[in-house]
Amino acid sequence: MTAAKLKKGILVVLKYFTLILGAFVSILPLVVCVITAFKSPEEYASTNVMTLPKSWTYVENFIQAWKQANMGVAFRNSFIILVFVLAGSILTGSMIAYVLSRFKFKGNGLIRSLFLFASLQVSVYQIMYTIGWINFLPGYIIMMCGTDIISIYIFIQFFENISTALDESAIMDGCTYFGVFFRILFPLLKPAIITVMILKGVGVYNEYYNANLYLQDKNHLVTVATSLFKFTGPLGNQYNYICAGVIITMLPALIVFILCQKHIYSGLTQGAVKG
């Protein structure tokens, strides 16, 4: 065997070993979570995390997690937040990207850079506190609608791949800039919109820091991400309930992925940012 073939064989072995190790590291927490979710508190306390439960029909953990964590209210709030934040972010982000990509003016680059400073939490919290938007769901939604720079650049890159001839032809036919955007360009943004919905939607659904900071009323303004912290405390954590709650919160995302995976893959492929 030549040195080149030996080197190639070693690289192949290392590649598959890395992939298998990565898959194991990714799947192991989920396996532990499923096993723990079906154990009674007594069984969880007396066995290790990899010991299989005595009964896979023990669902008391799921019932208690749903009731004690107020997950019905959490899903309602998270759904409301998700719908309005995605709608607001897509609309504002695409319109900002349209202006920055189609109109060349002094300060264009500066405006793009200024979006990076929108995430300074101290100044944001001071503004939210001053105008009375702490523990105010519509205020939290408006704050979360602040379009992140990644979404804007996704729309900008997509706009740059659309010929300006479409804009010019529509304007020559008497269409306004708003008409050009909403009637001609916005319908062409479907792949970019799907990409932004995935990135922004996952972030909003899993958002804990901002939800815990601005929605401090854990009875009426709890979200999916903050609900499970009901089972944590200085005297210990109730991991059997936490794991059951994690599985409950994963189900909606899993169902959406299964039903929309064709559109998700298409959107990520066509709406990807090109270098």
Side-chain angles (χ1 to χ4, degrees), residues 190 194 198 259-268:
K190 181 180 177 182
I194 293 176
I198 296 169
L259 295 178
C260 305
Q261 58 180 320
K262 180 180 178 181
H263 300 287
I264 291 173
Y265 290 140
S266 175
L268 285 174

Side-chain angles (χ1 to χ4, degrees), residues 10-272:
I10 293 175
L11 291 176
V12 171
V13 172
L14 288 175
K15 179 179 71 173
Y16 282 104
F17 174 78
T18 304
L19 292 173
I20 293 173
L21 180 61
F24 175 78
V25 171
S26 301
I27 295 175
L28 182 60
L30 181 60
V31 173
V32 172
C33 185
V34 173
I35 292 174
T36 304
F38 287 93
K39 289 183 178 180
S40 65
E42 296 78 15
E43 186 179 0
Y44 173 74
S46 60
T47 60
N48 64 63
V49 294
M50 293 304 296
T51 302
L52 296 179
K54 295 179 181 179
S55 174
W56 290 99
T57 59
Y58 184 82
V59 295
E60 185 63 25
N61 290 336
F62 296 90
I63 297 173
Q64 291 301 319
W66 181 272
K67 290 181 178 179
Q68 294 185 33
N70 205 9
M71 297 192 72
V73 174
F75 274 109
R76 182 199 66 192
N77 291 338
S78 293
F79 178 77
I80 294 172
I81 293 170
L82 197 60
V83 169
F84 283 99
V85 168
L86 287 181
S89 297
I90 290 171
L91 186 61
T92 57
S94 59
M95 293 179 73
I96 291 171
Y98 171 65
V99 172
L100 294 178
S101 65
R102 287 302 202 253
F103 300 93
K104 306 303 178 182
F105 52 89
K106 290 184 178 181
N108 188 303
L110 177 62
I111 292 175
R112 299 187 187 197
S113 301
L114 286 176
F115 285 107
L116 297 174
F117 294 95
S119 60
L120 297 177
Q121 285 297 334
V122 175
S123 58
V124 174
Y125 185 84
Q126 288 178 341
I127 294 172
M128 294 283 285
Y129 180 80
T130 301
I131 61 181
W133 280 3
I134 305 297
N135 280 330
F136 184 56
L137 191 61
Y140 175 76
I141 291 173
I142 294 173
M143 188 272 295
M144 290 297 292
C145 281
T147 307
D148 55 275
I149 193 65
I150 295 178
S151 300
I152 292 177
Y153 272 110
I154 289 175
F155 284 121
I156 288 176
Q157 291 295 324
F158 204 85
F159 273 123
E160 291 179 351
N161 290 324
I162 300 176
S163 174
T164 56
L166 291 174
D167 307 45
E168 296 168 356
S169 299
I171 292 173
M172 289 178 63
D173 290 337
C175 193
T176 64
Y177 287 118
F178 283 99
V180 170
F181 176 77
F182 285 107
R183 295 182 180 181
I184 298 175
L185 298 181
F186 192 75
L188 299 177
L189 294 178
K190 181 180 177 182
I193 290 173
I194 293 176
T195 304
V196 171
M197 286 180 66
I198 296 169
L199 298 176
K200 190 78 174 181
V202 171
V204 172
Y205 188 75
N206 294 326
E207 177 61 53
Y208 169 76
Y209 179 79
N210 285 322
N212 186 59
L213 184 63
Y214 298 110
L215 302 178
Q216 299 173 4
D217 183 353
K218 296 302 183 288
N219 292 322
H220 302 96
L221 298 178
V222 64
T223 66
V224 168
T226 62
S227 62
L228 298 183
F229 283 81
K230 179 81 171 179
F231 305 112
T232 62
L235 299 180
N237 300 325
Q238 298 171 288
Y239 285 110
N240 53 323
Y241 295 147
I242 293 174
C243 290
V246 168
I247 294 176
I248 293 174
T249 59
M250 287 174 55
L251 289 178
L254 181 62
I255 293 172
V256 170
F257 174 77
I258 293 174
L259 295 178
C260 305
Q261 58 180 320
K262 180 180 178 181
H263 300 287
I264 291 173
Y265 290 140
S266 175
L268 285 174
T269 303
Q270 299 180 42

